[in-house]
Short mmCIF file of all heavy atoms in Angstrom, two decimals:
data_model
loop_
_atom_site.label_atom_id
_atom_site.label_comp_id
_atom_site.label_asym_id
_atom_site.label_seq_id
_atom_site.Cartn_x
_atom_site.Cartn_y
_atom_site.Cartn_z
N PHE A 14 0.81 -1.20 0.00
CA PHE A 14 0.00 0.00 0.00
C PHE A 14 0.86 1.27 0.00
O PHE A 14 0.44 2.30 -0.50
CB PHE A 14 -0.96 0.00 1.18
CG PHE A 14 -2.07 -1.00 1.02
CD1 PHE A 14 -2.12 -2.14 1.80
CD2 PHE A 14 -3.04 -0.82 0.07
CE1 PHE A 14 -3.14 -3.06 1.65
CE2 PHE A 14 -4.07 -1.72 -0.09
CZ PHE A 14 -4.12 -2.86 0.70
N ALA A 15 2.05 1.17 0.55
CA ALA A 15 2.94 2.33 0.55
C ALA A 15 3.32 2.74 -0.86
O ALA A 15 3.39 3.94 -1.16
CB ALA A 15 4.18 2.03 1.38
N GLU A 16 3.53 1.76 -1.74
CA GLU A 16 3.87 2.07 -3.13
C GLU A 16 2.70 2.74 -3.84
O GLU A 16 2.89 3.66 -4.64
CB GLU A 16 4.27 0.80 -3.87
CG GLU A 16 5.59 0.22 -3.42
CD GLU A 16 5.91 -1.09 -4.10
OE1 GLU A 16 5.39 -1.35 -5.20
OE2 GLU A 16 6.68 -1.87 -3.51
N ILE A 17 1.49 2.27 -3.57
CA ILE A 17 0.30 2.87 -4.17
C ILE A 17 0.15 4.31 -3.68
O ILE A 17 -0.07 5.22 -4.47
CB ILE A 17 -0.96 2.05 -3.84
CG1 ILE A 17 -0.88 0.68 -4.49
CG2 ILE A 17 -2.22 2.79 -4.28
CD1 ILE A 17 -1.95 -0.29 -4.03
N LYS A 18 0.30 4.50 -2.38
CA LYS A 18 0.17 5.84 -1.80
C LYS A 18 1.21 6.79 -2.39
O LYS A 18 0.88 7.93 -2.75
CB LYS A 18 0.32 5.77 -0.29
CG LYS A 18 0.11 7.09 0.41
CD LYS A 18 0.18 6.93 1.92
CE LYS A 18 -0.07 8.26 2.61
NZ LYS A 18 -0.03 8.12 4.07
N GLN A 19 2.43 6.33 -2.52
CA GLN A 19 3.50 7.16 -3.07
C GLN A 19 3.23 7.53 -4.53
O GLN A 19 3.44 8.66 -4.95
CB GLN A 19 4.84 6.46 -2.93
CG GLN A 19 6.00 7.28 -3.42
CD GLN A 19 7.33 6.56 -3.24
OE1 GLN A 19 7.39 5.43 -2.76
NE2 GLN A 19 8.41 7.22 -3.62
N ALA A 20 2.76 6.57 -5.32
CA ALA A 20 2.49 6.82 -6.75
C ALA A 20 1.30 7.75 -6.92
O ALA A 20 1.27 8.57 -7.84
CB ALA A 20 2.25 5.50 -7.47
N TYR A 21 0.31 7.63 -6.04
CA TYR A 21 -0.92 8.43 -6.17
C TYR A 21 -0.78 9.82 -5.55
O TYR A 21 -1.51 10.74 -5.92
CB TYR A 21 -2.10 7.68 -5.54
CG TYR A 21 -3.38 8.45 -5.62
CD1 TYR A 21 -4.02 8.64 -6.83
CD2 TYR A 21 -3.94 9.02 -4.49
CE1 TYR A 21 -5.19 9.36 -6.92
CE2 TYR A 21 -5.12 9.75 -4.56
CZ TYR A 21 -5.74 9.92 -5.78
OH TYR A 21 -6.89 10.65 -5.85
N GLN A 22 0.15 10.03 -4.64
CA GLN A 22 0.25 11.27 -3.89
C GLN A 22 0.28 12.52 -4.77
O GLN A 22 -0.46 13.47 -4.50
CB GLN A 22 1.48 11.22 -2.97
CG GLN A 22 1.43 12.12 -1.74
CD GLN A 22 1.20 13.58 -2.00
OE1 GLN A 22 1.77 14.16 -2.91
NE2 GLN A 22 0.34 14.18 -1.21
N PRO A 23 1.08 12.58 -5.84
CA PRO A 23 1.07 13.80 -6.67
C PRO A 23 -0.30 14.06 -7.31
O PRO A 23 -0.72 15.21 -7.45
CB PRO A 23 2.12 13.53 -7.74
CG PRO A 23 2.99 12.46 -7.17
CD PRO A 23 2.11 11.64 -6.28
N LEU A 24 -1.01 13.00 -7.67
CA LEU A 24 -2.34 13.16 -8.26
C LEU A 24 -3.33 13.62 -7.20
O LEU A 24 -4.19 14.47 -7.46
CB LEU A 24 -2.82 11.86 -8.90
CG LEU A 24 -1.98 11.38 -10.08
CD1 LEU A 24 -2.49 10.04 -10.57
CD2 LEU A 24 -1.98 12.40 -11.19
N HIS A 25 -3.22 13.08 -6.01
CA HIS A 25 -4.09 13.50 -4.90
C HIS A 25 -3.91 14.99 -4.63
O HIS A 25 -4.89 15.72 -4.47
CB HIS A 25 -3.78 12.68 -3.65
CG HIS A 25 -4.65 13.04 -2.49
ND1 HIS A 25 -4.26 13.92 -1.53
CD2 HIS A 25 -5.90 12.63 -2.16
CE1 HIS A 25 -5.23 14.06 -0.65
NE2 HIS A 25 -6.24 13.28 -1.01
N ALA A 26 -2.66 15.44 -4.61
CA ALA A 26 -2.39 16.86 -4.37
C ALA A 26 -3.00 17.73 -5.47
O ALA A 26 -3.49 18.83 -5.19
CB ALA A 26 -0.88 17.10 -4.29
N LEU A 27 -2.99 17.24 -6.70
CA LEU A 27 -3.57 17.98 -7.83
C LEU A 27 -5.09 18.01 -7.77
O LEU A 27 -5.71 19.03 -8.07
CB LEU A 27 -3.11 17.35 -9.14
CG LEU A 27 -3.62 17.97 -10.43
CD1 LEU A 27 -3.11 19.40 -10.58
CD2 LEU A 27 -3.20 17.13 -11.62
N LEU A 28 -5.70 16.90 -7.35
CA LEU A 28 -7.16 16.76 -7.39
C LEU A 28 -7.87 17.27 -6.14
O LEU A 28 -8.97 17.82 -6.22
CB LEU A 28 -7.54 15.29 -7.60
CG LEU A 28 -7.05 14.64 -8.89
CD1 LEU A 28 -7.31 13.14 -8.84
CD2 LEU A 28 -7.70 15.27 -10.10
N ASP A 29 -7.27 17.08 -4.98
CA ASP A 29 -7.93 17.36 -3.71
C ASP A 29 -8.23 18.85 -3.52
O ASP A 29 -7.33 19.69 -3.64
CB ASP A 29 -7.05 16.87 -2.56
CG ASP A 29 -7.78 16.89 -1.23
OD1 ASP A 29 -8.98 16.56 -1.19
OD2 ASP A 29 -7.13 17.24 -0.21
N HIS A 30 -9.48 19.15 -3.26
CA HIS A 30 -9.96 20.52 -3.01
C HIS A 30 -9.71 21.46 -4.19
O HIS A 30 -9.41 22.64 -4.01
CB HIS A 30 -9.35 21.09 -1.73
CG HIS A 30 -9.89 20.44 -0.50
ND1 HIS A 30 -9.33 19.30 0.03
CD2 HIS A 30 -10.95 20.73 0.27
CE1 HIS A 30 -10.02 18.93 1.09
NE2 HIS A 30 -11.02 19.78 1.26
N ASN A 31 -9.81 20.94 -5.39
CA ASN A 31 -9.69 21.75 -6.59
C ASN A 31 -10.87 21.45 -7.51
O ASN A 31 -11.51 20.41 -7.39
CB ASN A 31 -8.38 21.45 -7.33
CG ASN A 31 -7.19 21.98 -6.59
OD1 ASN A 31 -7.11 23.16 -6.29
ND2 ASN A 31 -6.25 21.11 -6.26
N TYR A 32 -11.15 22.38 -8.42
CA TYR A 32 -12.19 22.17 -9.41
C TYR A 32 -11.65 21.24 -10.48
O TYR A 32 -10.72 21.58 -11.19
CB TYR A 32 -12.63 23.50 -10.04
CG TYR A 32 -13.31 24.42 -9.07
CD1 TYR A 32 -12.68 25.56 -8.62
CD2 TYR A 32 -14.60 24.14 -8.61
CE1 TYR A 32 -13.30 26.41 -7.72
CE2 TYR A 32 -15.22 24.97 -7.71
CZ TYR A 32 -14.56 26.12 -7.26
OH TYR A 32 -15.18 26.93 -6.38
N LEU A 33 -12.23 20.06 -10.57
CA LEU A 33 -11.72 19.07 -11.50
C LEU A 33 -11.77 19.54 -12.94
O LEU A 33 -10.88 19.25 -13.73
CB LEU A 33 -12.47 17.75 -11.35
CG LEU A 33 -12.37 17.06 -9.99
CD1 LEU A 33 -13.13 15.75 -10.00
CD2 LEU A 33 -10.92 16.86 -9.58
N ASN A 34 -12.83 20.31 -13.29
CA ASN A 34 -12.96 20.74 -14.68
C ASN A 34 -11.95 21.82 -15.06
O ASN A 34 -11.90 22.23 -16.21
CB ASN A 34 -14.38 21.18 -14.99
CG ASN A 34 -14.88 22.26 -14.07
OD1 ASN A 34 -14.30 22.52 -13.02
ND2 ASN A 34 -15.97 22.88 -14.44
N GLU A 35 -11.12 22.25 -14.12
CA GLU A 35 -10.04 23.20 -14.43
C GLU A 35 -8.70 22.51 -14.59
O GLU A 35 -7.68 23.15 -14.84
CB GLU A 35 -9.96 24.28 -13.35
CG GLU A 35 -11.17 25.19 -13.34
CD GLU A 35 -11.08 26.28 -12.29
OE1 GLU A 35 -10.12 26.31 -11.50
OE2 GLU A 35 -12.00 27.11 -12.26
N ILE A 36 -8.68 21.17 -14.47
CA ILE A 36 -7.45 20.39 -14.63
C ILE A 36 -7.38 19.89 -16.06
O ILE A 36 -8.37 19.37 -16.60
CB ILE A 36 -7.44 19.21 -13.63
CG1 ILE A 36 -7.41 19.76 -12.19
CG2 ILE A 36 -6.25 18.29 -13.89
CD1 ILE A 36 -7.61 18.72 -11.13
N ASP A 37 -6.22 20.05 -16.70
CA ASP A 37 -6.05 19.60 -18.09
C ASP A 37 -6.44 18.14 -18.23
O ASP A 37 -5.96 17.29 -17.49
CB ASP A 37 -4.60 19.78 -18.54
CG ASP A 37 -4.24 21.23 -18.79
OD1 ASP A 37 -5.15 22.05 -19.01
OD2 ASP A 37 -3.04 21.54 -18.77
N GLY A 38 -7.34 17.89 -19.18
CA GLY A 38 -7.82 16.53 -19.43
C GLY A 38 -9.07 16.16 -18.67
O GLY A 38 -9.66 15.12 -18.92
N LEU A 39 -9.49 17.00 -17.73
CA LEU A 39 -10.70 16.71 -16.94
C LEU A 39 -11.76 17.80 -17.11
O LEU A 39 -12.52 18.07 -16.19
CB LEU A 39 -10.36 16.56 -15.45
CG LEU A 39 -9.62 15.30 -15.08
CD1 LEU A 39 -9.29 15.30 -13.59
CD2 LEU A 39 -10.44 14.07 -15.43
N GLU A 40 -11.81 18.38 -18.28
CA GLU A 40 -12.79 19.44 -18.51
C GLU A 40 -14.22 18.94 -18.35
O GLU A 40 -15.12 19.71 -18.02
CB GLU A 40 -12.60 20.06 -19.91
CG GLU A 40 -11.30 20.80 -20.08
CD GLU A 40 -10.08 19.92 -20.34
OE1 GLU A 40 -10.24 18.71 -20.59
OE2 GLU A 40 -8.96 20.44 -20.29
N ASN A 41 -14.45 17.66 -18.56
CA ASN A 41 -15.75 17.02 -18.35
C ASN A 41 -15.52 15.89 -17.34
O ASN A 41 -15.37 14.73 -17.72
CB ASN A 41 -16.29 16.48 -19.68
CG ASN A 41 -17.65 15.84 -19.53
OD1 ASN A 41 -18.35 16.06 -18.55
ND2 ASN A 41 -18.03 15.03 -20.49
N PRO A 42 -15.47 16.21 -16.03
CA PRO A 42 -15.01 15.25 -15.02
C PRO A 42 -16.08 14.25 -14.56
O PRO A 42 -16.44 14.19 -13.39
CB PRO A 42 -14.57 16.15 -13.86
CG PRO A 42 -15.47 17.34 -13.96
CD PRO A 42 -15.70 17.53 -15.44
N THR A 43 -16.57 13.45 -15.50
CA THR A 43 -17.48 12.38 -15.11
C THR A 43 -16.65 11.28 -14.43
O THR A 43 -15.42 11.26 -14.54
CB THR A 43 -18.18 11.77 -16.33
OG1 THR A 43 -17.19 11.18 -17.19
CG2 THR A 43 -18.97 12.83 -17.11
N SER A 44 -17.30 10.38 -13.75
CA SER A 44 -16.59 9.27 -13.11
C SER A 44 -15.82 8.46 -14.13
O SER A 44 -14.67 8.05 -13.90
CB SER A 44 -17.57 8.36 -12.37
OG SER A 44 -18.15 9.04 -11.30
N GLU A 45 -16.43 8.23 -15.29
CA GLU A 45 -15.78 7.48 -16.35
C GLU A 45 -14.53 8.19 -16.85
O GLU A 45 -13.48 7.57 -17.02
CB GLU A 45 -16.75 7.24 -17.51
CG GLU A 45 -17.93 6.36 -17.17
CD GLU A 45 -19.10 7.10 -16.52
OE1 GLU A 45 -19.02 8.32 -16.30
OE2 GLU A 45 -20.09 6.43 -16.20
N ASN A 46 -14.64 9.48 -17.08
CA ASN A 46 -13.48 10.25 -17.55
C ASN A 46 -12.39 10.34 -16.49
O ASN A 46 -11.20 10.29 -16.81
CB ASN A 46 -13.91 11.64 -18.00
CG ASN A 46 -14.69 11.63 -19.28
OD1 ASN A 46 -14.68 10.65 -20.02
ND2 ASN A 46 -15.41 12.70 -19.55
N LEU A 47 -12.79 10.48 -15.22
CA LEU A 47 -11.81 10.53 -14.14
C LEU A 47 -11.06 9.21 -14.03
O LEU A 47 -9.84 9.19 -13.87
CB LEU A 47 -12.50 10.87 -12.82
CG LEU A 47 -11.59 10.96 -11.59
CD1 LEU A 47 -10.48 11.98 -11.80
CD2 LEU A 47 -12.42 11.30 -10.36
N ALA A 48 -11.76 8.09 -14.13
CA ALA A 48 -11.11 6.78 -14.06
C ALA A 48 -10.11 6.61 -15.20
O ALA A 48 -8.98 6.15 -14.98
CB ALA A 48 -12.15 5.67 -14.08
N CYS A 49 -10.49 6.99 -16.40
CA CYS A 49 -9.61 6.90 -17.57
C CYS A 49 -8.41 7.83 -17.39
O CYS A 49 -7.27 7.45 -17.67
CB CYS A 49 -10.38 7.25 -18.83
SG CYS A 49 -9.41 7.14 -20.34
N TRP A 50 -8.63 9.05 -16.90
CA TRP A 50 -7.56 10.01 -16.69
C TRP A 50 -6.56 9.49 -15.66
O TRP A 50 -5.35 9.56 -15.86
CB TRP A 50 -8.16 11.34 -16.24
CG TRP A 50 -7.17 12.45 -16.07
CD1 TRP A 50 -6.71 13.29 -17.03
CD2 TRP A 50 -6.53 12.83 -14.84
NE1 TRP A 50 -5.82 14.18 -16.48
CE2 TRP A 50 -5.69 13.92 -15.14
CE3 TRP A 50 -6.60 12.37 -13.54
CZ2 TRP A 50 -4.91 14.54 -14.17
CZ3 TRP A 50 -5.82 12.99 -12.57
CH2 TRP A 50 -4.99 14.06 -12.89
N LEU A 51 -7.09 8.93 -14.56
CA LEU A 51 -6.21 8.37 -13.53
C LEU A 51 -5.37 7.23 -14.10
O LEU A 51 -4.17 7.13 -13.83
CB LEU A 51 -7.03 7.87 -12.33
CG LEU A 51 -7.60 8.96 -11.44
CD1 LEU A 51 -8.63 8.37 -10.48
CD2 LEU A 51 -6.50 9.67 -10.68
N TRP A 52 -6.00 6.36 -14.89
CA TRP A 52 -5.27 5.25 -15.52
C TRP A 52 -4.11 5.80 -16.35
O TRP A 52 -2.98 5.34 -16.24
CB TRP A 52 -6.23 4.44 -16.40
CG TRP A 52 -5.58 3.31 -17.11
CD1 TRP A 52 -4.84 3.37 -18.26
CD2 TRP A 52 -5.58 1.94 -16.72
NE1 TRP A 52 -4.40 2.12 -18.61
CE2 TRP A 52 -4.84 1.22 -17.68
CE3 TRP A 52 -6.16 1.24 -15.66
CZ2 TRP A 52 -4.65 -0.15 -17.60
CZ3 TRP A 52 -5.97 -0.12 -15.59
CH2 TRP A 52 -5.23 -0.81 -16.55
N THR A 53 -4.41 6.80 -17.16
CA THR A 53 -3.39 7.40 -18.04
C THR A 53 -2.26 8.01 -17.22
O THR A 53 -1.09 7.86 -17.56
CB THR A 53 -4.04 8.46 -18.95
OG1 THR A 53 -5.06 7.84 -19.72
CG2 THR A 53 -3.02 9.10 -19.87
N GLN A 54 -2.61 8.70 -16.14
CA GLN A 54 -1.60 9.35 -15.31
C GLN A 54 -0.71 8.34 -14.59
O GLN A 54 0.48 8.58 -14.38
CB GLN A 54 -2.26 10.27 -14.27
CG GLN A 54 -3.08 11.40 -14.87
CD GLN A 54 -2.28 12.29 -15.78
OE1 GLN A 54 -1.22 12.77 -15.43
NE2 GLN A 54 -2.79 12.51 -16.99
N LEU A 55 -1.27 7.21 -14.19
CA LEU A 55 -0.53 6.22 -13.41
C LEU A 55 0.19 5.18 -14.26
O LEU A 55 1.10 4.51 -13.78
CB LEU A 55 -1.48 5.52 -12.42
CG LEU A 55 -2.00 6.40 -11.30
CD1 LEU A 55 -3.13 5.70 -10.56
CD2 LEU A 55 -0.87 6.79 -10.34
N THR A 56 -0.21 5.04 -15.53
CA THR A 56 0.44 4.07 -16.41
C THR A 56 1.86 4.54 -16.73
O THR A 56 2.09 5.70 -16.99
CB THR A 56 -0.38 3.91 -17.71
OG1 THR A 56 -1.68 3.45 -17.37
CG2 THR A 56 0.27 2.92 -18.65
N GLY A 57 2.77 3.60 -16.72
CA GLY A 57 4.16 3.95 -17.00
C GLY A 57 4.96 4.24 -15.76
O GLY A 57 6.17 4.38 -15.82
N GLY A 58 4.28 4.33 -14.62
CA GLY A 58 4.98 4.53 -13.35
C GLY A 58 5.31 3.20 -12.71
O GLY A 58 5.33 2.16 -13.37
N PRO A 59 5.54 3.22 -11.41
CA PRO A 59 5.96 2.00 -10.72
C PRO A 59 4.84 0.98 -10.51
O PRO A 59 5.12 -0.17 -10.18
CB PRO A 59 6.46 2.52 -9.37
CG PRO A 59 5.70 3.79 -9.15
CD PRO A 59 5.52 4.37 -10.53
N LEU A 60 3.59 1.38 -10.69
CA LEU A 60 2.47 0.48 -10.46
C LEU A 60 2.10 -0.28 -11.72
O LEU A 60 2.13 0.27 -12.82
CB LEU A 60 1.24 1.25 -9.98
CG LEU A 60 1.39 2.04 -8.69
CD1 LEU A 60 0.08 2.78 -8.40
CD2 LEU A 60 1.78 1.14 -7.54
N ARG A 61 1.72 -1.52 -11.56
CA ARG A 61 1.15 -2.31 -12.66
C ARG A 61 -0.34 -2.40 -12.38
O ARG A 61 -0.79 -3.17 -11.52
CB ARG A 61 1.78 -3.70 -12.69
CG ARG A 61 1.40 -4.45 -13.92
CD ARG A 61 2.22 -5.69 -14.08
NE ARG A 61 1.37 -6.64 -14.79
CZ ARG A 61 1.33 -7.91 -14.58
NH1 ARG A 61 2.12 -8.45 -13.66
NH2 ARG A 61 0.54 -8.69 -15.25
N LEU A 62 -1.12 -1.60 -13.08
CA LEU A 62 -2.55 -1.48 -12.81
C LEU A 62 -3.34 -2.63 -13.41
O LEU A 62 -3.05 -3.08 -14.52
CB LEU A 62 -3.10 -0.17 -13.37
CG LEU A 62 -2.49 1.11 -12.84
CD1 LEU A 62 -3.09 2.30 -13.57
CD2 LEU A 62 -2.69 1.25 -11.35
N SER A 63 -4.36 -3.07 -12.68
CA SER A 63 -5.33 -4.01 -13.25
C SER A 63 -6.66 -3.30 -13.47
O SER A 63 -7.40 -3.65 -14.37
CB SER A 63 -5.52 -5.23 -12.36
OG SER A 63 -6.00 -4.85 -11.09
N LYS A 64 -6.94 -2.29 -12.63
CA LYS A 64 -8.15 -1.49 -12.82
C LYS A 64 -8.07 -0.26 -11.94
O LYS A 64 -7.30 -0.21 -10.98
CB LYS A 64 -9.41 -2.28 -12.50
CG LYS A 64 -9.57 -2.67 -11.04
CD LYS A 64 -10.85 -3.46 -10.84
CE LYS A 64 -10.92 -4.00 -9.41
NZ LYS A 64 -12.13 -4.80 -9.21
N VAL A 65 -8.87 0.74 -12.29
CA VAL A 65 -9.07 1.93 -11.48
C VAL A 65 -10.55 1.98 -11.14
O VAL A 65 -11.39 1.84 -12.03
CB VAL A 65 -8.65 3.22 -12.24
CG1 VAL A 65 -9.05 4.46 -11.48
CG2 VAL A 65 -7.17 3.21 -12.53
N VAL A 66 -10.86 2.15 -9.87
CA VAL A 66 -12.25 2.22 -9.41
C VAL A 66 -12.51 3.62 -8.88
O VAL A 66 -11.77 4.13 -8.04
CB VAL A 66 -12.52 1.18 -8.30
CG1 VAL A 66 -13.96 1.29 -7.81
CG2 VAL A 66 -12.22 -0.23 -8.79
N VAL A 67 -13.58 4.25 -9.39
CA VAL A 67 -14.02 5.56 -8.91
C VAL A 67 -15.44 5.37 -8.40
O VAL A 67 -16.31 4.92 -9.13
CB VAL A 67 -13.98 6.63 -10.03
CG1 VAL A 67 -14.56 7.94 -9.54
CG2 VAL A 67 -12.55 6.82 -10.51
N ARG A 68 -15.68 5.75 -7.16
CA ARG A 68 -17.00 5.62 -6.54
C ARG A 68 -17.60 6.99 -6.31
O ARG A 68 -16.95 7.89 -5.78
CB ARG A 68 -16.88 4.92 -5.18
CG ARG A 68 -16.57 3.48 -5.29
CD ARG A 68 -17.86 2.73 -5.38
NE ARG A 68 -17.61 1.32 -5.61
CZ ARG A 68 -18.27 0.62 -6.48
NH1 ARG A 68 -19.19 1.17 -7.22
NH2 ARG A 68 -18.01 -0.65 -6.65
N GLU A 69 -18.85 7.15 -6.72
CA GLU A 69 -19.61 8.37 -6.42
C GLU A 69 -20.35 8.19 -5.10
O GLU A 69 -20.42 9.10 -4.30
CB GLU A 69 -20.60 8.66 -7.54
CG GLU A 69 -19.94 8.96 -8.86
CD GLU A 69 -20.94 9.14 -9.98
OE1 GLU A 69 -22.08 9.56 -9.71
OE2 GLU A 69 -20.59 8.84 -11.12
N THR A 70 -20.94 7.01 -4.92
CA THR A 70 -21.62 6.62 -3.69
C THR A 70 -21.29 5.15 -3.46
O THR A 70 -20.58 4.54 -4.25
CB THR A 70 -23.15 6.79 -3.80
OG1 THR A 70 -23.66 5.83 -4.74
CG2 THR A 70 -23.55 8.19 -4.24
N CYS A 71 -21.84 4.57 -2.41
CA CYS A 71 -21.55 3.15 -2.15
C CYS A 71 -22.20 2.24 -3.18
O CYS A 71 -21.82 1.08 -3.31
CB CYS A 71 -21.96 2.77 -0.74
SG CYS A 71 -23.70 3.00 -0.39
N THR A 72 -23.15 2.74 -3.96
CA THR A 72 -23.82 1.91 -4.97
C THR A 72 -23.62 2.41 -6.40
O THR A 72 -24.14 1.82 -7.34
CB THR A 72 -25.33 1.81 -4.69
OG1 THR A 72 -25.88 3.13 -4.71
CG2 THR A 72 -25.61 1.15 -3.35
N SER A 73 -22.87 3.49 -6.57
CA SER A 73 -22.69 4.08 -7.89
C SER A 73 -21.22 4.37 -8.13
O SER A 73 -20.55 4.99 -7.30
CB SER A 73 -23.50 5.37 -8.00
OG SER A 73 -23.27 6.01 -9.22
N GLY A 74 -20.72 3.92 -9.27
CA GLY A 74 -19.33 4.17 -9.60
C GLY A 74 -18.95 3.48 -10.90
O GLY A 74 -19.81 2.99 -11.62
N VAL A 75 -17.66 3.46 -11.16
CA VAL A 75 -17.16 2.88 -12.41
C VAL A 75 -15.85 2.16 -12.14
O VAL A 75 -15.10 2.53 -11.24
CB VAL A 75 -16.98 3.97 -13.49
CG1 VAL A 75 -15.92 4.96 -13.10
CG2 VAL A 75 -16.68 3.38 -14.84
N GLU A 76 -15.61 1.08 -12.89
CA GLU A 76 -14.33 0.38 -12.91
C GLU A 76 -13.76 0.52 -14.31
O GLU A 76 -14.45 0.24 -15.29
CB GLU A 76 -14.49 -1.10 -12.59
CG GLU A 76 -14.91 -1.40 -11.19
CD GLU A 76 -15.01 -2.88 -10.92
OE1 GLU A 76 -14.72 -3.71 -11.82
OE2 GLU A 76 -15.39 -3.23 -9.79
N TYR A 77 -12.51 0.95 -14.41
CA TYR A 77 -11.85 1.09 -15.71
C TYR A 77 -10.67 0.13 -15.73
O TYR A 77 -9.85 0.13 -14.82
CB TYR A 77 -11.38 2.53 -15.92
CG TYR A 77 -10.73 2.76 -17.26
CD1 TYR A 77 -11.49 2.80 -18.43
CD2 TYR A 77 -9.36 2.94 -17.37
CE1 TYR A 77 -10.89 3.00 -19.65
CE2 TYR A 77 -8.76 3.16 -18.60
CZ TYR A 77 -9.53 3.18 -19.74
OH TYR A 77 -8.95 3.38 -20.95
N ARG A 78 -10.61 -0.70 -16.76
CA ARG A 78 -9.57 -1.72 -16.86
C ARG A 78 -8.60 -1.47 -18.01
O ARG A 78 -7.92 -2.39 -18.45
CB ARG A 78 -10.22 -3.10 -17.01
CG ARG A 78 -11.04 -3.47 -15.80
CD ARG A 78 -11.77 -4.77 -16.01
NE ARG A 78 -12.65 -5.04 -14.90
CZ ARG A 78 -12.30 -5.70 -13.80
NH1 ARG A 78 -11.10 -6.15 -13.66
NH2 ARG A 78 -13.20 -5.91 -12.86
N GLY A 79 -8.54 -0.26 -18.50
CA GLY A 79 -7.59 0.08 -19.54
C GLY A 79 -8.24 0.24 -20.90
O GLY A 79 -9.41 -0.11 -21.09
N PRO A 80 -7.50 0.80 -21.86
CA PRO A 80 -8.03 1.01 -23.20
C PRO A 80 -8.54 -0.30 -23.82
O PRO A 80 -7.91 -1.34 -23.69
CB PRO A 80 -6.84 1.54 -23.97
CG PRO A 80 -5.88 2.03 -22.95
CD PRO A 80 -6.11 1.19 -21.72
N GLY A 81 -9.66 -0.20 -24.47
CA GLY A 81 -10.23 -1.36 -25.15
C GLY A 81 -11.05 -2.26 -24.27
O GLY A 81 -11.70 -3.16 -24.75
N GLU A 82 -11.04 -2.01 -22.97
CA GLU A 82 -11.84 -2.83 -22.06
C GLU A 82 -13.09 -2.05 -21.66
O GLU A 82 -13.03 -0.86 -21.41
CB GLU A 82 -11.03 -3.16 -20.79
CG GLU A 82 -9.82 -4.02 -21.05
CD GLU A 82 -10.19 -5.42 -21.53
OE1 GLU A 82 -11.22 -5.96 -21.07
OE2 GLU A 82 -9.45 -5.95 -22.37
N PRO A 83 -14.22 -2.71 -21.61
CA PRO A 83 -15.46 -2.02 -21.21
C PRO A 83 -15.41 -1.62 -19.75
O PRO A 83 -14.86 -2.35 -18.92
CB PRO A 83 -16.55 -3.04 -21.47
CG PRO A 83 -15.86 -4.36 -21.47
CD PRO A 83 -14.45 -4.11 -21.92
N SER A 84 -15.97 -0.47 -19.43
CA SER A 84 -16.11 -0.03 -18.04
C SER A 84 -17.40 -0.61 -17.48
O SER A 84 -18.34 -0.88 -18.20
CB SER A 84 -16.15 1.49 -17.96
OG SER A 84 -14.92 2.03 -18.38
N ARG A 85 -17.42 -0.79 -16.17
CA ARG A 85 -18.63 -1.27 -15.51
C ARG A 85 -19.07 -0.28 -14.46
O ARG A 85 -18.32 0.43 -13.90
CB ARG A 85 -18.37 -2.61 -14.82
CG ARG A 85 -18.12 -3.72 -15.79
CD ARG A 85 -18.16 -5.05 -15.12
NE ARG A 85 -16.83 -5.35 -14.62
CZ ARG A 85 -16.58 -6.19 -13.65
NH1 ARG A 85 -17.55 -6.78 -13.04
NH2 ARG A 85 -15.36 -6.44 -13.26
#
């Protein structure tokens, strides 16, 4: 978990308490777009991603498994 936290920290600093639609690439910050954006930002770093999960509520959200894979 320390590796995940370290890799995500710069993105957290960029996203936390900011208007998402003012961040390059997130002009339309839907959950689907945010999951895809996070995947793109984290790919190529130290993590080997299998999916990115973004939750709006405990029953609503999206899973993104990379380009060409359907989101759920």
Side-chain angles (χ1 to χ4, degrees):
F14 289 110
E16 291 176 24
I17 295 170
K18 184 176 181 179
Q19 183 178 1
Y21 179 70
Q22 205 304 317
L24 297 176
H25 181 265
L27 179 64
L28 299 171
D29 190 40
H30 289 88
N31 289 304
Y32 294 108
L33 298 182
N34 56 345
E35 292 181 356
I36 296 172
D37 286 339
L39 288 178
E40 294 80 10
N41 182 19
T43 63
S44 294
E45 295 84 0
N46 289 343
L47 180 57
C49 181
W50 184 86
L51 287 168
W52 179 280
T53 301
Q54 299 302 309
L55 291 168
T56 299
L60 300 178
R61 189 169 151 217
L62 301 177
S63 61
K64 67 181 173 181
V65 172
V66 178
V67 175
R68 289 271 175 224
E69 296 176 29
T70 68
C71 60
T72 59
S73 176
V75 65
E76 293 182 1
Y77 182 73
R78 297 175 186 271
E82 295 294 325
S84 295
R85 292 192 272 157

